[in-house]
């Protein structure tokens, strides 16, 4: 199977798109929070590769082209923010405090778990940028001397977990303000969380888009300080 697929440069590309399309269809039919399209796509792709004994290198030969879309997709998130610029001006102080708290909490949790579980310093450094978008997280990890593969995996897991649990957490803690919902999703679950925020409303999506950028900048500044001071 590997030999046949190696001749198709776009096998991984189309498999990823097909798996995500299936995830979207499943989510639209049953509408359960746990049925996140990205989570379903990951499960389907892994299942397909294991079932047909296809190695990752063969799959990534075509799937890597999707990585080129990460940066422009992130930039496009500025559109809903532009539409809600008036709300941002009204709540700028609360927004700054929320984003700073979100970034500090994310880094503090990594440090705490790394200390309790006695995680290897290299692995711990790879976990620090877990709550920012992949395009920025990989650059941060390289600067910190971490392992990019670990960072990518934990960023995806963090995003999916945040998107799946967001609705339940908002109900549990009675978080009804759209600005707070958007900031929480963007600061903790980056682009995947933003896709969930856009489902909740345009204002939530705008605040989540802002949180992605701001949290990314704050993490780029704070992560090396934490890494050098603790690990």
């Amino acid at each position: 199977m590997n030999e046949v697929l190696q001749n198709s440069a776009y096998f991984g590309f189309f498999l990823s798109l097909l798996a995500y399309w299936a995830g979207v269809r499943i989510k639209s039919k049953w509408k359960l929070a746990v049925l996140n399209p990205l989570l379903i796509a990951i499960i389907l792709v892994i299942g397909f590769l294991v079932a047909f004994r296809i190695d990752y290198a063969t799959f990534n030969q075509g799937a890597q082209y999707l990585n080129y879309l990460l940066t422009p997709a992130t930039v496009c998130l500025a559109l809903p923010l532009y539409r809600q610029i008036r709300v941002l001006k009204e709540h700028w102080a609360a927004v700054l405090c929320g984003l700073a708290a979100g970034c500090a909490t994310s880094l503090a949790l990594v440090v705490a778990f790394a200390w309790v579980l006695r995680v290897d310093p290299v692995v711990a450094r790879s976990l620090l940028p877990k709550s920012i978008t992949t395009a920025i997280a990989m650059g941060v990890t390289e600067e910190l001397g971490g392992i990019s593969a670990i960072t990518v995996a934990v960023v995806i897991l963090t995003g999916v977990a945040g998107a799946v649990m967001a609705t339940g957490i908002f109900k549990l803690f009675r978080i009804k303000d759209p600005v707070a919902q958007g900031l929480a999703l963007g600061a903790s679950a980056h682009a995947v969380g933003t896709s969930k925020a856009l489902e909740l409303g345009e204002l939530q999506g705008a605040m989540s888009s802002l949180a992605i950028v701001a949290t990314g900048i704050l993490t780029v500044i704070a992560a090396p300080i934490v890494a050098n001071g603790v690990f």
Side-chain angles (χ1 to χ4, degrees):
M1 178 65 76
N2 281 331
E3 295 179 359
V4 175
L5 295 177
Q6 281 175 351
N7 296 324
S8 175
Y10 300 102
F11 158 70
F13 179 84
F14 287 111
L15 176 61
S16 300
L17 292 183
L18 182 61
Y20 188 77
W21 174 82
V24 172
R25 296 286 294 178
I26 293 172
K27 175 64 181 297
S28 63
K29 184 174 182 179
W30 281 285
K31 301 186 184 301
L32 297 175
V34 71
L35 297 178
N36 182 273
L38 181 58
L39 176 60
I40 295 173
I42 292 172
I43 294 173
L44 290 177
V45 170
I46 292 176
F48 186 91
L49 297 182
V50 172
F52 291 94
R53 298 182 180 179
I54 302 170
D55 59 62
Y56 177 76
T58 300
F59 164 76
N60 194 50
Q61 184 177 341
Q64 63 180 340
Y65 296 112
L66 289 172
N67 293 334
Y68 302 149
L69 303 176
L70 283 174
T71 300
T74 303
V75 173
C76 287
L77 293 174
L79 180 59
L81 177 61
Y82 173 76
R83 291 173 177 170
Q84 300 292 337
I85 192 67
R86 179 184 58 82
V87 179
L88 175 60
K89 291 179 179 179
E90 293 177 358
H91 301 278
W92 66 270
V95 168
L96 289 178
C97 290
L99 293 176
C103 179
T105 301
S106 175
L107 296 175
L109 285 174
V110 172
V111 172
F113 280 110
W115 180 75
V116 171
L117 300 177
R118 298 182 180 179
V119 175
D120 183 273
V122 175
V123 176
R125 289 169 179 263
S126 306
L127 299 178
L128 284 174
K130 67 177 180 61
S131 293
I132 60 177
T133 187
T134 308
I136 304 176
M138 291 181 66
V140 173
T141 296
E142 291 177 1
E143 180 183 346
L144 299 180
I147 303 173
S148 297
I150 294 177
T151 300
V152 172
V154 75
V155 165
I156 293 174
L157 289 174
T158 301
V160 172
V164 169
M165 297 188 296
T167 303
I169 292 176
F170 292 156
K171 290 181 179 179
L172 178 63
F173 293 97
R174 298 180 182 179
I175 302 174
K176 299 179 180 180
D177 185 82
V179 175
Q181 291 178 343
L183 292 175
L185 279 165
S188 61
H190 48 83
V192 183
T194 301
S195 66
K196 178 63 179 180
L198 289 169
E199 292 180 12
L200 299 177
E202 185 174 5
L203 180 54
Q204 288 92 329
M207 293 300 104
S208 187
S209 301
L210 171 64
I212 290 179
V213 178
T215 304
I217 294 173
L218 290 173
T219 302
V220 167
I221 298 172
I225 299 175
V226 174
N228 295 328
V230 179
F231 306 123

